Amino acid sequence: MLGLALERELVKEGVSVTLLVRTNSERRLDVSGDTTVLEWDLMNPFSLESQGTYDAFFHLAWIGTRGKEREDKARQRTNVVHTLDCVNLAHKLDCKVFVGAGSQAEYGPVHGVITEDTPTNPQSAYGRAKLAAGEQSHRLCESYGIRHVWARLFSLYGQGDNPGNMMMSWVISLLEGRRMSFTSGEQLWDYLHCDDGARGMYLLAQQGSGVYNLAYGKSCPLGEYITMARDALNPQIPLGLGELDLGTLQSLQADTRKIFSDTGFCPQISFKQGVALTANALKESKNAQENKRHNTHL
């Protein structure tokens, strides 16, 4: 999701882009503009054959991001190694800046607003690996003289997201007219559309240095997000707020003053607009699949 959004942002800004896609990936990329797609084996990182040099390296690849895979310690340790492989490749390609995708999971449970100075206390193998990858890649970048940026992402959503993720499951259910059950939705949350996230990553590549919270910067109760999504997509569907009890749920409140101060980043896409963009992309994808099936039968 973020990689495709970043490609769109860079092309819009007139940047020449090379996308490194995992060998034999099932993902088919619809790219445009000055973009080259290369297959790359993460297990053999220096197998990449490329001419010329590059200005910036964006590292967004990570395995084991969902469900039980997040607690797979061996798999998460592999991600740290892959991150350092990417720094070595960035050095090989003469990149001046390395931008990595961290996570709010690096902080662990926090009561109150999270700043970049909030002590890190990750509770999952995924969060611990993200933290280690950020710290170790920073040290390696320093040894190479590469500027290092680590963007801790807070709840991205948008077109291209995994259907099993919370936000996407809401949108799909609403488009299909299905009623869903929720908790009371009182916990505070911070949602950022992937296009805003991509613009933030681009600005950080130009002007950032160090660790940044990349978020909308304004939290509201999760129940309000659910209601706004319902009102935007299918106002007739009743909401099952308060029907689930999952115990005490974590709130998420991000302080984004640092990224604003260093880059001027300010989100441009409201939640209502973002939900509409996500829904439209799903409809277009569904129509394209139906047309493909129809043409195949013809």
Side-chain angles (χ1 to χ4, degrees), residues 29-56:
L29 303 178
D30 182 16
V31 299
S32 59
D34 190 6
T35 297
T36 301
V37 180
L38 297 178
E39 284 196 347
W40 183 45
D41 184 2
L42 272 172
M43 303 306 293
N44 186 17
F46 290 101
S47 62
L48 181 68
E49 296 182 4
S50 179
Q51 301 296 320
T53 60
Y54 294 80
D55 297 304

Side-chain angles (χ1 to χ4, degrees), residues 25 52 56 60 64 72 79 99 101 107 111 125 140 162 169 180 201 224 230 233 252 255 280-281 286:
S25 171
L60 309 178
D72 187 329
N79 282 315
V99 183
Y107 294 110
H111 298 290
L140 188 54
N162 191 298
S169 67
M180 295 183 68
M201 296 289 276
E224 290 188 16
R230 187 277 308 271
L233 300 181
L252 210 57
D255 186 309
N280 289 338
K286 182 178 180 180

Side-chain angles (χ1 to χ4, degrees), residues 19 46 48 68-69 77-78 101-102 113 115-116 120 130 164 211 227 231 233 251 255 267:
L19 296 181
F46 290 101
L48 181 68
K68 294 181 180 179
E69 293 180 342
R77 284 195 294 268
T78 299
V113 178
T115 73
E116 289 82 359
T120 51
K130 283 286 189 181
V211 175
T227 302
D231 292 348
L233 300 181
S251 288
D255 186 309

Side-chain angles (χ1 to χ4, degrees), residues 54-233:
Y54 294 80
D55 297 304
F57 193 109
F58 294 90
H59 173 45
L60 309 178
W62 200 270
I63 58 175
T65 61
R66 301 179 59 211
K68 294 181 180 179
E69 293 180 342
R70 293 169 70 95
E71 294 299 341
D72 187 329
K73 295 180 181 178
R75 180 169 291 196
Q76 296 303 334
R77 284 195 294 268
T78 299
N79 282 315
V80 179
V81 175
H82 287 166
T83 300
L84 300 181
D85 288 339
C86 286
V87 174
N88 288 322
L89 179 58
H91 174 61
K92 175 184 176 182
L93 298 174
D94 291 331
C95 295
K96 303 301 184 292
V97 58
F98 179 89
V99 183
S103 170
Q104 53 82 20
E106 296 174 51
Y107 294 110
V110 176
H111 298 290
V113 178
I114 300 173
T115 73
E116 289 82 359
D117 294 326
T118 296
T120 51
N121 183 30
Q123 300 296 296
S124 64
Y126 169 81
R128 290 190 290 272
K130 283 286 189 181
L131 180 61
E135 293 174 342
Q136 293 181 33
S137 61
H138 174 246
R139 289 194 291 269
L140 188 54
C141 280
E142 275 192 324
S143 71
Y144 286 141
I146 298 174
R147 180 164 49 90
H148 181 266
V149 176
W150 195 252
R152 289 177 177 158
L153 303 169
F154 283 67
S155 298
L156 282 184
Y157 73 98
Q159 50 272 36
D161 197 0
N162 191 298
N165 286 347
M166 184 166 62
M167 170 64 73
M168 190 62 84
S169 67
W170 299 350
V171 174
I172 292 173
S173 295
L174 287 167
L175 291 178
E176 294 178 351
R178 290 188 284 112
R179 183 183 184 280
M180 295 183 68
S181 296
F182 303 92
T183 66
S184 60
E186 296 175 0
Q187 67 269 38
L188 297 175
W189 214 253
D190 185 311
Y191 273 115
L192 181 70
H193 189 266
C194 61
D195 288 352
D196 274 333
R199 191 167 56 85
M201 296 289 276
Y202 179 46
L203 290 173
L204 286 171
Q206 294 174 296
Q207 304 173 56
S209 179
V211 175
Y212 292 87
N213 291 337
L214 183 49
Y216 198 89
K218 181 181 179 182
S219 300
C220 74
L222 195 60
E224 290 188 16
Y225 284 117
I226 295 170
T227 302
M228 283 190 284
R230 187 277 308 271
D231 292 348
L233 300 181

